[in-house]
Amino acid sequence: MNEMFFFYGTLRLGCPISTVILKTAKYITTISLQGKLYITKDKYPLFVPGNEGLVIGDIFEVPKNLIEQLDEYEEIKSPYSPYERVQFTKNNITFWVYTAKKDFSAKLKELKIIPSGDWLKYLKHHKKKSLFLA
């Protein structure tokens, strides 16, 4: 059985990395989740769930055999990774999201917020040549 995932950053529809990693996944819909989107010092997006703000992302149906590869991509087993995989439900869809680890909250003060909550919009607005944008 496949699993659903919410991708809000480099794995969003339209990013070259998503076409490589998610070539066997199926796009379902675009939704928003409550929370804030930050950019890490390594220039990656980081979702922090909360009551303020909205973060835009894409729901994909992902084959089970890709989950380990996704966990490796997000480096969730590394003690230095800011990410953990958490399950959410919205619109009767249960899905996984790579969110900020609970113990990472103290470091958020050092990071910049992406006010729009939309990684693709952020990249286009900053007009940076990026591997993350097609």
Side-chain angles (χ1 to χ4, degrees):
M1 182 176 186
N2 296 337
E3 295 280 346
M4 299 291 200
F5 277 79
F6 173 82
F7 299 120
Y8 54 86
T10 61
L11 292 173
R12 283 206 55 201
L13 193 64
C15 289
I17 293 171
S18 73
T19 59
V20 172
I21 294 177
L22 300 175
K23 60 185 165 194
T24 59
K26 178 183 174 190
Y27 169 79
I28 302 298
T29 190
T30 298
I31 65 168
S32 60
L33 295 179
Q34 284 192 300
K36 293 184 180 177
L37 191 60
Y38 292 82
I39 187 160
T40 68
K41 290 182 180 187
D42 294 332
K43 306 293 184 213
Y44 287 98
L46 178 65
F47 171 57
V48 179
N51 296 326
E52 295 181 23
L54 289 175
V55 174
I56 310 299
D58 303 319
I59 299 284
F60 278 86
E61 184 177 352
V62 175
K64 282 231 184 224
N65 64 346
L66 279 184
I67 295 172
E68 188 175 325
Q69 184 180 356
L70 290 169
D71 286 351
E72 286 176 20
Y73 177 74
E74 300 294 352
E75 299 178 333
I76 65 170
K77 292 181 183 177
S78 167
Y80 305 106
S81 173
Y83 303 100
E84 66 182 350
R85 184 162 39 98
V86 179
Q87 208 162 40
F88 283 71
T89 300
K90 183 174 181 177
N91 302 337
N92 295 318
I93 302 172
T94 300
F95 49 87
W96 293 102
V97 182
Y98 292 100
T99 66
K101 287 180 182 175
K102 303 284 185 248
D103 62 355
F104 196 77
S105 59
K107 296 180 182 179
L108 292 177
K109 295 173 188 162
E110 303 168 14
L111 304 181
K112 178 182 175 182
I113 292 177
I114 298 173
S116 69
D118 187 331
W119 176 247
L120 298 179
K121 190 176 186 179
Y122 171 81
L123 290 176
K124 286 179 185 174
H125 178 73
H126 287 83
K127 297 180 181 168
K128 294 180 179 177
K129 291 190 178 187
S130 174
L131 294 174
F132 308 129
L133 192 58

